[in-house]
Amino acid sequence: MPAATGIVGEFLALKEATDADVLAMQVGDFYEFFGDDAELVADELDLKTSEKSSQGGSYPMAGVPVDDLTPYLKGLVERGYRVAVADQHEGADGPEREITRVVTPGTLLETTDAEARYLAAVVDDGDAYGLAFADVTTGQFVVTSTPDVDAALSDLYRFDPAEVIPGPDVRDDDVLDRLREHTDARLTLHDGEAFAPGRATHVAREQFGRETFESVGATDAAVRAAGAVLAYVDATDAGVLASMTRVRTLADGDRVTLDATTQRNLELTETMQGDGDGSLLATVDHTVTSAGRRLLAAWLQRPRRDVDALRDRQAAVDALATAALARDGLREHLADAYDLERLASKATTGSATPRDLARVRDTLALVDVVHDRIANDSTLADSPLATVLDVDTRERAADRHDELDAALVADPPQTTTQGGIFARGYDDAIDDARDRHEAAREYFDTLEATVKRETGLTHVTVDRNKTDGWYVQVGRSEADRMPERFREVKTLKNSRRFVTDELEERERDLVQLADRRSDLERDRFEELRGTVAEAAALLQDVGRAFARVDALASFAEHAVANDWTRPELTTEDVLDVDAGRHPVVEQTTEFVPNDVHLDTDRRFAVVTGPNMSGKSTYMRQTALVVLLAQVGSFVPADRATVGVVDGVFTRVGALDELAQGRSTFMVEMTELANILHTATADSLVILDEVGRGTATYDGISIAWAATEYLHNEVRAKTLFATHYHELTTLAEHLERVVNVHVAADERDGDVTFLRTVREGPTDRSYGVHVADLAGVPAPVVDRSREVLDRLREDEAIEARGSDAGGDAAGTQQVVFDLDDGQLRAADGADADGGASADAGASVDDGDAPAADASGSTADGDAAGSGGAAGDELTGREREVLAELADVDVAETTPVAVLSRVQAWQERLADEE
């Protein structure tokens, strides 16, 4: 196909010059897409395509009006595409076009969502992983550093960025694969030079000041990440750098570790199924502003350890809970507030409309109202809320409000082209241009009445369009009566259109006056918008203050409605909760509260009980009580004393990840390994079953060893729910292990789950009962009970089935060998009909001498046909038997026994 020229050729040349996925090029009143881009946009956004010819070729074409680009741009970017925008301007030789910005998932300004929208960068300088997070819609900028990639991935999961730009040092396939696993963000491999230490540090310091990063304790790696984010934002021409006025860091001393697994398991912002409804955030969110909801989500995802800061939040929640009328009043006023953080970003990018500035004005008017509500209530005035809006902020907000109030009409238009932006008396030149324009317009407004009066005609209208301009339209039956000065310009089916020399001259004057008025208003508006942009930091301060009051009031609203209590926060090593409840589950069902008591002498609670009895809920509610306390909220309990933790770790089940080559058990072990490596004595660990994904003895061994390690080495406060009742014996040997169980009541074969946690271990799991409740067929349930009874009594089980011909039912007695977990045929054959080497031992009735490991009886005679009579043991076999005889099973852990068995097997194998 010949090379395209003209509009298509210009489009293709611009597209080749950018690394964007899609190009939107302005052509007059439309943004056009050509070629592959047109087909992509049509497919993604359901646009219709047409054909554009160029140099003998034909190219698909799709377009959207200039004023309608935003929703299409948003739709493409939210699907992960990078979209370049080429705007048109008048040049010396006609229209010229150039790429003015590249909109990416992390730099999209046009969003109405309440959630934050972060762009993130990750670097590895060898000493630490540095991360930077920027929300271009609000100007929020956060840096942090972590010691390893797992912690970095957890931070990425918490911030949930829309786009991540990994540094050159984190671009190997393994790390990129892990990034893709932990986030749905687009991964963009930006220019590696942006991450260079010298360049990145210079960019970061230029934006925020040389001393800023030192004052917030940012590491070199974090500064590099910050510089890379800033360079990327600048390269896309998003124009929001001016809104990024402050940087803050997640200080290590104030950090609470919440890895991605824990955040999912606790369902902080979405359920395990990916739904927002049913999450902790959805449950406690009673905010009335989008900024308040963003802040509430951030608090839940990033709990703190700073006890003084948390107590300040608690005190504010307490005051708001007490002062119900004042709280209601504050919430009513805040509901009228607009999102000042996002309006500040729009002002700095030059995209704020006249209506946006009116929203800034109206929101700033609430500053004194909100402050007065707090100051005039004695309870709120004595709380930390009294300083949420300081004197300087209030004065500057008032000044900015008064300026906007004097400038703008009460309800300004959405665009500058519509006119009527400024209040009369604000600008003399605009007032004069407006008066002259309105006077000129009066001629056209009265022309219809004038023509009717002068001519006596009845079917007369005055109107305009882009083709004919202003005209006088008369019905065909009366058109011949029009005076000579009216010149016909168009004949229609039922009417004729006329103009006059005066009309055309008046129209030219009107256009010139309209252009003059529009130019003055546009220039003055850009000046006004510039002053608002200069006040971006003030708008962010006010917006964040309103968000803080809104989030705290949300906590108070929920606490009052649900009878939550203020927890006592302490640095002591204790977790003491009376009648705790699950904050989400209690909303949907009648809940049975339960206590939890952990301290220095009671570190590890083994939780046993029936299936479906509430063990998982009990443990998750414990974790959520701690988390809520460490965001400053009240908690669902009658009383709670919470010693702050440095991390919350959970393992509560896993899904197969076969696509990544990881089974359920591998995922389970990976999560366990992370906990054992990362948790500390100041952490809270929640384990809901460990080792269930493998063979019974393997599982018990892993669970046993993990318990010992957590108790002896990690020493974290731990709740461990298990069906391995063997673990309950650990309470007799490990001084800080205790048993608790979820009680059940069994009467006349009926089981009632009491959902009450009591001291001590349980004696059974009631699995067969749960199978019955789940609807398993009655014959299966009845047979299960029969098999279970026989196993409990160590009796042989009859394996029911058909004979070889399938005509008659047959049975075969088998026993379950508790020593090796295998079914054995009671007649000496394996349960599947084969010969059993252990048959003699399996059916020993106590009269025959027992065979030893060599196959000989205790008298030294051959036992069965497994070996010749009189075979002698080798020296190494005798050594192993001697060591085996010395093992004290009561004092040796299962893991140690298995280890020694493996060693004996290896020694015997070497001898062969």
Side-chain angles (χ1 to χ4, degrees), residues 384-403:
L385 289 169
T387 59
V388 73
L389 289 165
D390 59 46
V391 175
D392 179 62
T393 298
R394 298 201 307 274
E395 290 178 349
R396 290 187 294 128
D399 291 343
R400 193 63 61 192
H401 166 266
D402 291 347
E403 179 182 4

Side-chain angles (χ1 to χ4, degrees), residues 428-438 513-514 516-518 520:
D428 291 342
I430 292 176
D431 286 348
D432 179 63
R434 177 188 297 153
D435 290 342
R436 296 176 64 189
H437 179 257
E438 290 177 352
L513 290 170
R516 169 64 176 165
R517 175 181 176 178
S518 178
L520 286 172

Side-chain angles (χ1 to χ4, degrees), residues 137-140 242-246 289 291-292 294 334 337-350 352-353 355-367 388-390 392-404 408 528-548:
T137 71
T138 64
Q140 292 271 8
S243 71
M244 297 176 184
T245 59
R246 297 182 185 85
T289 69
R294 284 197 304 274
L334 290 174
Y338 293 95
D339 198 330
L340 283 182
E341 288 183 293
R342 287 188 167 165
L343 288 170
S345 287
K346 293 184 72 174
T348 61
T349 61
T353 67
R355 194 164 294 168
D356 287 331
L357 296 199
R359 289 166 176 164
V360 172
R361 173 199 63 197
D362 296 344
T363 305
L364 291 178
L366 298 172
V367 170
V388 73
L389 289 165
D390 59 46
D392 179 62
T393 298
R394 298 201 307 274
E395 290 178 349
R396 290 187 294 128
D399 291 343
R400 193 63 61 192
H401 166 266
D402 291 347
E403 179 182 4
L404 290 171
L408 301 171
L528 183 64
R529 184 167 57 193
T531 63
V532 174
E534 292 172 0
L538 168 66
L539 301 189
Q540 290 167 347
D541 285 343
V542 174
R544 290 164 191 172
F546 282 1
R548 183 177 180 83

Side-chain angles (χ1 to χ4, degrees), residues 36-107:
D36 293 342
D37 287 17
E39 293 181 336
L40 184 152
V41 172
D43 183 57
E44 292 283 3
L45 304 179
D46 197 27
L47 279 177
K48 292 183 178 180
T49 60
S50 56
E51 296 293 322
K52 176 72 174 178
S53 298
S54 178
Q55 291 295 104
S58 182
Y59 295 84
M61 178 178 72
V64 297
V66 168
D67 292 341
D68 294 338
L69 176 64
T70 294
Y72 292 97
L73 187 66
K74 184 172 181 286
L76 287 170
V77 171
E78 289 185 341
R79 286 167 171 79
Y81 295 104
R82 289 163 49 88
V83 184
V85 179
D87 288 318
Q88 176 180 306
H89 60 87
E90 290 300 319
D93 300 322
E96 296 178 355
R97 300 172 186 88
E98 62 179 348
I99 294 175
T100 54
R101 57 179 172 146
V102 177
V103 185
T104 74
T107 60

Side-chain angles (χ1 to χ4, degrees), residues 79-340:
R79 286 167 171 79
Y81 295 104
R82 289 163 49 88
V83 184
V85 179
D87 288 318
Q88 176 180 306
H89 60 87
E90 290 300 319
D93 300 322
E96 296 178 355
R97 300 172 186 88
E98 62 179 348
I99 294 175
T100 54
R101 57 179 172 146
V102 177
V103 185
T104 74
T107 60
L108 176 67
L109 281 170
E110 297 84 354
T111 180
T112 57
D113 298 333
E115 289 77 12
R117 190 177 190 87
Y118 285 105
L119 166 69
V122 188
V123 301
D124 176 14
D125 69 355
D127 295 325
Y129 282 82
L131 299 99
F133 300 92
D135 181 354
V136 298
T137 71
T138 64
Q140 292 271 8
F141 204 101
V142 182
V143 296
T144 188
S145 59
T146 61
D148 55 56
V149 67
D150 289 323
L153 292 171
S154 293
D155 280 334
L156 283 172
Y157 187 88
R158 286 198 289 178
F159 279 87
D160 190 22
E163 185 174 12
V164 177
I165 48 175
D169 35 29
V170 289
R171 292 183 184 176
D172 63 79
D173 291 341
D174 289 342
V175 175
L176 291 180
D177 286 344
R178 295 193 67 186
L179 285 173
R180 292 186 182 96
E181 287 178 21
H182 282 75
T183 176
D184 294 328
R186 166 158 181 156
L187 297 185
T188 301
L189 303 184
H190 185 51
D191 179 13
E193 289 297 315
F195 294 86
R199 178 175 172 180
T201 300
H202 174 75
V203 170
R205 287 176 173 174
E206 283 291 307
Q207 179 72 20
F208 297 112
R210 180 169 295 272
E211 294 79 20
T212 300
F213 289 99
E214 294 179 3
S215 67
V216 298
T219 64
D220 292 341
V223 175
R224 280 182 58 197
V229 164
L230 294 168
Y232 183 76
V233 171
D234 189 47
T236 61
D237 283 329
V240 296
L241 290 182
S243 71
M244 297 176 184
T245 59
R246 297 182 185 85
V247 62
R248 62 186 181 88
T249 186
L250 301 180
D252 287 341
D254 197 26
R255 175 191 293 270
V256 176
T257 302
L258 288 179
D259 60 24
T261 299
T262 298
Q263 293 176 67
R264 284 194 299 266
N265 288 339
L266 296 182
E267 299 181 309
L268 299 184
T269 58
E270 63 180 22
T271 65
M272 298 285 277
Q273 291 73 39
D275 299 324
D277 291 342
S279 68
L280 179 64
L281 174 61
T283 300
V284 302
D285 178 21
H286 304 280
T287 57
V288 295
T289 69
S290 55
R293 189 181 191 280
R294 284 197 304 274
L295 182 60
L296 187 65
W299 282 354
L300 293 177
Q301 292 174 296
R302 298 188 283 279
R304 305 186 62 178
R305 293 163 61 186
D306 185 332
V307 173
D308 291 336
L310 293 173
R311 286 173 178 164
D312 278 349
R313 286 186 194 172
Q314 285 186 333
V317 173
D318 202 351
L320 287 163
T322 302
L325 290 177
R327 181 180 76 247
D328 290 344
L330 279 173
R331 285 164 53 81
E332 287 178 9
H333 293 310
L334 290 174
D336 294 330
Y338 293 95
D339 198 330
L340 283 182

Side-chain angles (χ1 to χ4, degrees), residues 769-782:
H769 179 73
V770 174
D772 190 16
L773 291 177
V776 173
V780 176
V781 173
D782 293 341

